[in-house]
Amino acid sequence: MESVSTNEGSGMGAMWELERNLDQPMDAEAGRLRNMYREKTYPIILLLRLAFQSLGVVFGDLGTSPLYVFYNIFPHDIEDTEQVIGALSLIIYSLTLIPLVKYVFIVLRANDNGQGGTFALYSLLCRHAKINIIPNQHRTDEDLTTYSRQTYDEKSLAAKIKRWLEGHQFRKNVILILVLFGTCMAVGDGILTPAISVLSATGGIKVEVPGMRNDVVVIVSVVILIGLFSMQHYGTDKVSWLFAPIVFLWFILIGVLGAVNIYKYDKSVLKAFNPIYIYRYFKRGKTSWASLGGIMLSITGTEALFADLSFFPVQAIQIAFITVVFPCLLLQYTGQAAFIATYKERVTHSFYYSLPDRILWPAVVIATAAAIVSSQATISATYSIIKQALAVGCFPRVKIIHTSKKYLGQIYSPDINWILMVLCITVTAGFKNQSQIANAYGTAVIIVMLVTTFLMIPIMLLVWRSHWSLVVLFTVLSLAVEIPYLTAVMQKIDQGGWVPLVFAAAILLVMYVWHYGTLKRYEFEMHSKVSMAWILGLGPSLGLVRVPGMGLVYTELASGVPHIFSHFITNLPAIHSTLVFVCVKYLPVYTVPPDERFLVKRIGPKSFHMFRCVARYGYKDVHRKDDDFEKMLFGSLLLFVRLESMMEEYTDSDEYSARDQQELINEVSSDADLSYASRDSIVPVRTPNGGSGGQTTMNPGLQTVGDEVAFLNSCRGAGVVHILGNTIIRARRDSGPLKKIAIDYVYAFLRKICRENSAIFNVPHESLLNVGQVFYV
C-alpha cells in the first residue's frame, strides 16, 4: 500500500493525526445529512377524530373513578350533609388543580416532540444539560433536526443551574434514580388500575343480586382481565376505535345521570363549589385527613394522560378533556354527592344505587366495558414507558412491535403484556378487597405525580427558561395538593399501600442493575480500545488472510476500534475483505429521521477497507421486521464512498464553504503526507511529491471510486457476516457481597433471558458469529 512518508517525523505526525481523527465525531458527515424535517400538523377534522379516539385510550381511568371514590372516602358512617359537601369540594378543586391546570395546561406542554412520561422529561433534561450517565454522545448528534435545545447566557439562572447539575456525579445519579423510581411506580400503576377498575365495575352485580358471594365477582373480574390482555396484540389503533364509542357513551351516561341526581335529590351540594367548605371539612378532625386517600382516587388516571401522550397529539387530548371529560366528571361527582346526602347508608355502591332500576343492568355492562377501557390507558402507557427505558439502557431488551403503520408511537410488547396480566390477576385474586387495592393504587399514583412535579422544576428553568417566580408558583401549588395526599396514603401502608412499593422496589432493582451493568460494559469498551498504531502495524491484510465478503462488527463504541476486534484477530486465521464497525446507539430524542440515521467514516488508509458506521435511533424508534437494516447500512456506505470522492474532487471549488475549507486546513498538518483522508476521507490528498492528487489510489487494483463501489458490491455479494461482541462482566473476587449478587446473579440472569441483538436486527442465524470475552469489574 501507499503509506506515510518515510520521514520518521512526518510518520509520527501522520500517525498522531490518524489516531486523533479516529476518535473525532463525524461533523462533516452529519452536516451533509441534515434535512428539512418539520413537525407534523393535523387538520381540524383529523384532530377531532383523534380527540374522539383518545377517549378510548387516555381517559378511561379518570372516567371510571366515580365507581369507587365515595366508598373509599366514607368507609364508615357519614355524620351529616356538610361532610359530604366538604368531600365534594375537595374533589372539585383537586380535579381542577391537578388534571386540568397542572397536566392539561402545563405538563402536556413539556412533551418531547409529542412524547410524554418521566423518560421524555429526562430526555429533555439530557439534551439541555450533560447529565446522561452513559457518555456515548458526540456534538454531531446535536446537528439532528429533531435535536432541539436552548443556549444560555453564562450569567443567567438557567446557566448556573445547568453547571450545578453537571458539576457532580452524585446529582446525575439522584436525577436518574428519581426518574427510575417514578417509572417503576407508573408500571405499578399499570398493574393496579385494571385490578381496581374491573373489580369495582363487576361489583355492581351484587347490587342486583345481594346474595352473590364475593368470590364470584372476583372470578368474573379475572376472566375479563384475561380477555383484555389477550386483545392487546391487535394494537392501540384498533383497540381505541373499539373502545372510544364505549367511553364516549360512558361519559354521556355519567354526565346525564349526575345532572338528573342533582335535580332529583339535593341541590344544596352545589355549595361545594365554594372552597370554604374544604376548610370546614378539615376542622372535623383526623378522620377528614385520613379520607384524603379516598378523595385522591378521583384524580387517578391523570398520570396516564401524560404517559399516553405518544399515542395522540397534545391538542387532541386537550380538546377531549375540556369538552367531554372534565364537565361530565364534575356533573357525576356532584350528582352522586346529592344522592349520598339523601341516602347516607347507601354509600358502598352509591353509583349503582343512584341509577333507575330499569337501566341498572345496561349500566353494569357499560361500566364494565368502561373499566376495561380504563385499564387500556395504563397498559398502553406501560408499553411506552418500558420502550423509553429500554432506549436509554435502563431496561433489559424485550420485544417491541409496531401495531400501526400510520402512528409510530403505537406499540405492543408481548413480554411485558403477559407479565402485567399475571401480576394483575395475582393482585385481584389475592386481595379480593376493593379498599386494599385502592390504598395500593393511591400510593402509586401520588408518587408518580410528585416525581413529575420535581422533574418539571428543571424543565421550566432550563428548557422553557421561565421566570423563577412562575416556577415557585407552580411548585408550591402542586405540592400544596400532592403532599397532603402523600401523607394520607402513607398512613395506609399496612392496609395495602405496601404493594406498589414492593413492585417498585423489584422493578427498580432490575432497572438499576441493568443500567449499572450496561455502564460498566461501556466503560470497559472505552478504556480498552485498540490503538491505530497497532492496526497500521498489521498492514492492509491485518496479519490475516482477507477472504471475500463483508464483516459487520457490532460495538457500543461510536469512536475507535473495540477491544473485541483484537480478540477476533488473534483467534481466527482469516477475516473479511471489507470490515464495518457498527455502533447502534440511542439518543435523547424521540426519533431520528431515516435519512439522518447513519453516519459513516473510514478507518485507516483506503487499502485497509475498514469503515465505521454509527446507526442512531430515538427512544420512539423501533426496529421493524420489514426494515432491512443491512440493506440500509450498505446503501449509506456506498453513498459515503461516492460523496467522499466528490468532495475530494471539488475541494478547491468556490462552492465548497469557507468554514469547511478552514476545517480541512486545521485537520491536516502542512508537513504530513497522507495518501488517505484524515477527516472522514474528505480532505486534500497529497502525492509523495507534495502535489495534490486528482485521483486517490487505494491499491493497484482499485483506481477510482467506481472500482471501490464495485469492490464493495462484490464483497456484499460474497456474503455478509454479522459479528457480535459478547462482553460478559463478572465481579472481582475482592468485590463486596452486594456487588457479586448484582453482577454475577441478577445482571447475568437478566442478560440470559433478554433478547439478543441479533433478534432485534433480524440477523439470520446462518450469518451470525458471536465473539465472547470476560471482563471483571
Side-chain angles (χ1 to χ4, degrees):
M1 75 172 180
E2 290 184 36
S3 169
V4 187
S5 171
T6 55
N7 181 281
E8 186 177 354
S10 297
M12 292 298 294
M15 181 69 69
W16 176 86
E17 180 70 26
L18 184 57
E19 189 80 51
R20 182 173 71 91
N21 175 64
L22 185 65
D23 290 331
Q24 283 181 342
M26 295 173 280
D27 301 283
E29 185 67 13
R32 294 189 211 111
L33 292 175
R34 301 198 60 171
N35 66 2
M36 299 301 292
Y37 180 84
R38 292 292 183 270
E39 273 296 300
K40 185 177 180 180
T41 56
Y42 297 88
I44 186 63
I45 299 299
L46 178 59
L47 201 59
L48 292 176
R49 185 169 72 90
L50 291 172
F52 177 76
Q53 268 190 279
S54 70
L55 291 173
V57 175
V58 179
F59 298 107
D61 194 5
L62 265 172
T64 54
S65 296
L67 290 172
Y68 48 81
V69 167
F70 277 106
Y71 168 66
N72 287 281
I73 296 174
F74 303 115
H76 307 295
D77 296 336
I78 298 174
E79 297 175 8
D80 51 39
T81 300
E82 187 171 295
Q83 187 180 16
V84 177
I85 294 175
L88 175 62
S89 186
L90 275 168
I91 292 173
I92 291 172
Y93 285 99
S94 295
L95 280 170
T96 303
L97 289 175
I98 300 300
L100 182 64
V101 176
K102 177 184 174 181
Y103 276 86
V104 172
F105 288 132
I106 299 177
V107 174
L108 287 187
R109 290 184 56 234
N111 67 87
D112 184 13
N113 290 283
Q115 304 302 298
T118 50
F119 269 107
L121 297 178
Y122 183 62
S123 296
L124 276 176
L125 287 178
C126 287
R127 293 210 301 271
H128 291 79
K130 297 177 181 178
I131 61 173
N132 196 358
I133 305 298
I134 300 179
N136 66 341
Q137 296 180 35
H138 289 310
R139 63 178 180 271
T140 51
D141 299 330
E142 300 173 11
D143 293 333
L144 287 170
T145 52
T146 53
Y147 197 108
S148 59
R149 67 171 189 166
Q150 302 284 348
T151 55
Y152 313 105
D153 188 306
E154 287 297 319
K155 297 182 180 180
S156 65
L157 176 62
K160 294 177 181 177
I161 293 173
K162 179 177 180 290
R163 288 194 294 270
W164 183 81
L165 290 174
E166 297 173 348
H168 201 282
Q169 188 68 27
F170 174 76
R171 295 164 194 154
K172 299 178 183 179
N173 285 327
V174 168
I175 294 176
L176 177 64
I177 291 175
L178 180 67
V179 170
L180 292 181
F181 190 63
T183 301
C184 295
M185 281 296 178
V187 174
D189 189 12
I191 297 169
L192 295 168
T193 298
I196 189 171
S197 299
V198 175
L199 196 59
S200 300
T202 54
I205 302 173
K206 296 182 69 175
V207 175
E208 186 68 20
V209 187
M212 179 178 291
R213 295 176 55 192
N214 192 56
D215 290 343
V216 177
V217 176
V218 172
I219 292 173
V220 172
S221 300
V222 169
V223 171
I224 292 173
L225 288 172
I226 293 174
L228 170 65
F229 283 100
S230 299
M231 291 177 57
Q232 294 303 311
H233 69 278
Y234 290 110
T236 308
D237 192 34
K238 297 181 178 66
V239 170
S240 61
W241 268 119
L242 174 65
F243 286 166
I246 297 173
V247 179
F248 181 72
L249 181 61
W250 170 254
F251 276 114
I252 297 301
L253 171 66
I254 64 174
V256 172
L257 178 64
V260 170
N261 286 343
I262 295 170
Y263 176 79
K264 183 178 179 180
Y265 293 110
D266 192 346
K267 298 184 183 65
S268 66
V269 295
L270 293 173
K271 293 188 291 185
F273 285 89
N274 185 347
I276 190 64
Y277 285 93
I278 296 177
Y279 170 73
R280 294 180 182 179
Y281 184 75
F282 284 120
K283 283 185 66 178
R284 291 175 172 268
K286 293 183 179 179
T287 56
S288 297
W289 192 268
S291 69
L292 283 176
I295 293 170
M296 197 212 64
L297 295 176
S298 64
I299 57 175
T300 55
T302 304
E303 71 289 346
L305 185 147
F306 183 47
D308 278 328
L309 191 59
S310 62
F311 295 93
F312 301 98
V314 174
Q315 300 94 323
I317 294 178
Q318 290 174 330
I319 290 171
F321 185 85
I322 293 171
T323 59
V324 177
V325 178
F326 186 64
C328 289
L329 285 176
L330 289 183
L331 284 172
Q332 172 56 34
Y333 282 118
T334 307
Q336 201 172 149
F339 173 81
I340 294 171
T342 305
Y343 298 98
K344 297 179 179 62
E345 70 283 358
R346 293 190 172 185
V347 69
T348 304
H349 293 291
S350 55
F351 174 80
Y352 291 111
Y353 282 123
S354 66
L355 291 169
D357 292 338
R358 61 182 177 274
I359 68 168
L360 178 59
W361 277 111
V364 170
V365 173
I366 297 174
T368 303
I372 294 173
V373 175
S374 72
S375 305
Q376 179 64 43
T378 51
I379 293 171
S380 301
T382 303
Y383 297 151
S384 297
I385 289 168
I386 294 298
K387 173 64 182 71
Q388 293 172 4
L390 190 153
V392 295
C394 291
F395 201 83
R397 293 182 294 271
V398 294
K399 189 174 184 178
I400 301 291
I401 299 173
H402 266 299
T403 58
S404 173
K405 294 184 178 180
K406 295 185 292 183
Y407 306 109
L408 189 60
Q410 298 187 1
I411 58 177
Y412 162 69
S413 174
D415 306 325
I416 300 301
N417 183 66
W418 302 124
I419 292 174
L420 285 178
M421 186 188 77
V422 171
L423 293 175
C424 186
I425 291 174
T426 302
V427 169
T428 305
F431 279 110
K432 301 180 183 179
N433 187 318
Q434 185 188 122
S435 296
Q436 288 185 321
I437 299 177
N439 293 336
Y441 189 28
T443 304
V445 169
I446 195 62
I447 291 177
V448 174
M449 290 182 178
L450 280 169
V451 169
T452 301
T453 298
F454 290 131
L455 289 177
M456 281 297 297
I457 296 172
I459 290 291
M460 295 178 74
L461 290 170
L462 293 180
V463 182
W464 294 352
R465 289 191 283 187
S466 303
H467 194 273
W468 64 267
S469 59
L470 294 177
V471 179
V472 170
L473 179 63
F474 168 81
T475 307
V476 169
L477 287 178
S478 297
L479 295 182
V481 178
E482 293 164 0
I483 293 296
Y485 282 144
L486 178 65
T487 59
V489 298
M490 287 294 107
Q491 294 176 7
K492 298 182 179 181
I493 291 293
D494 60 337
Q495 302 172 37
W498 57 270
V499 174
L501 297 179
V502 171
F503 284 154
I507 300 170
L508 182 61
L509 176 66
V510 170
M511 285 186 164
Y512 194 79
V513 169
W514 182 264
H515 185 268
Y516 177 76
T518 303
L519 178 61
K520 289 302 178 183
R521 288 177 65 236
Y522 182 80
E523 288 177 351
F524 167 73
E525 295 279 3
M526 282 293 295
H527 295 151
S528 59
K529 290 188 295 187
V530 177
S531 70
M532 196 62 210
W534 183 79
I535 293 178
L536 289 179
L538 296 175
S541 67
L542 299 177
L544 302 172
V545 177
R546 300 295 291 268
V547 297
M550 179 175 291
L552 303 182
V553 183
Y554 290 85
T555 173
E556 297 190 17
L557 294 179
S559 62
V561 178
H563 181 266
I564 197 75
F565 180 66
S566 63
H567 186 66
F568 180 71
I569 288 289
T570 55
N571 286 276
L572 291 178
I575 198 168
H576 304 88
S577 52
T578 297
L579 289 174
V580 182
F581 294 92
V582 182
C583 170
V584 178
K585 69 175 182 178
Y586 284 88
L587 303 178
V589 296
Y590 74 106
T591 187
V592 176
D595 55 349
E596 298 182 58
R597 177 148 295 149
F598 293 96
L599 292 181
V600 181
K601 182 176 182 178
R602 191 184 294 278
I603 296 178
K606 289 187 176 181
S607 58
F608 279 55
H609 305 305
M610 294 169 62
F611 302 88
R612 178 167 69 246
C613 178
V614 179
R616 304 177 294 182
Y617 290 85
Y619 56 80
K620 180 180 175 181
D621 295 326
V622 176
H623 304 285
R624 304 188 190 186
K625 283 188 176 181
D626 55 352
D627 282 342
D628 193 337
F629 181 80
E630 179 186 311
K631 181 179 178 180
M632 292 188 296
L633 187 151
F634 187 73
S636 299
L637 185 62
L638 294 182
L639 177 63
F640 165 77
V641 171
R642 292 189 177 101
L643 287 176
E644 177 188 45
S645 175
M646 291 171 60
M647 296 298 282
E648 287 174 350
E649 184 177 355
Y650 295 107
T651 296
D652 298 326
S653 166
D654 292 338
E655 296 179 359
Y656 197 55
S657 71
R659 175 174 173 244
D660 290 334
Q661 289 185 25
Q662 185 60 45
E663 285 186 357
L664 296 175
I665 293 171
N666 293 337
E667 293 295 334
V668 183
S669 62
S670 59
D671 60 347
D673 292 328
L674 302 180
S675 61
Y676 49 86
S678 65
R679 183 174 180 85
D680 284 347
S681 299
I682 307 175
V683 295
V685 179
R686 299 179 179 179
T687 65
N689 296 335
S692 181
Q695 291 268 352
T696 61
T697 304
M698 295 172 290
N699 57 42
L702 301 179
Q703 295 290 331
T704 65
V705 63
D707 292 336
E708 185 170 15
V709 169
F711 176 74
L712 292 175
N713 278 311
S714 66
C715 289
R716 188 187 180 201
V720 178
V721 174
H722 299 257
I723 305 169
L724 298 182
N726 187 16
T727 303
I728 301 172
I729 62 173
R730 292 282 186 267
R732 291 194 299 264
R733 291 183 179 180
D734 58 346
S735 301
L738 287 178
K739 186 175 182 180
K740 287 183 178 179
I741 293 173
I743 297 297
D744 293 345
Y745 295 98
V746 179
Y747 183 75
F749 175 74
L750 294 174
R751 285 266 297 178
K752 186 176 181 180
I753 64 173
C754 75
R755 299 187 80 215
E756 294 289 343
N757 278 324
S758 57
I760 295 176
F761 295 110
N762 306 307
V763 177
H765 289 288
E766 61 272 14
S767 302
L768 179 63
L769 177 62
N770 270 302
V771 181
Q773 61 181 345
V774 179
F775 166 58
Y776 290 90
V777 296

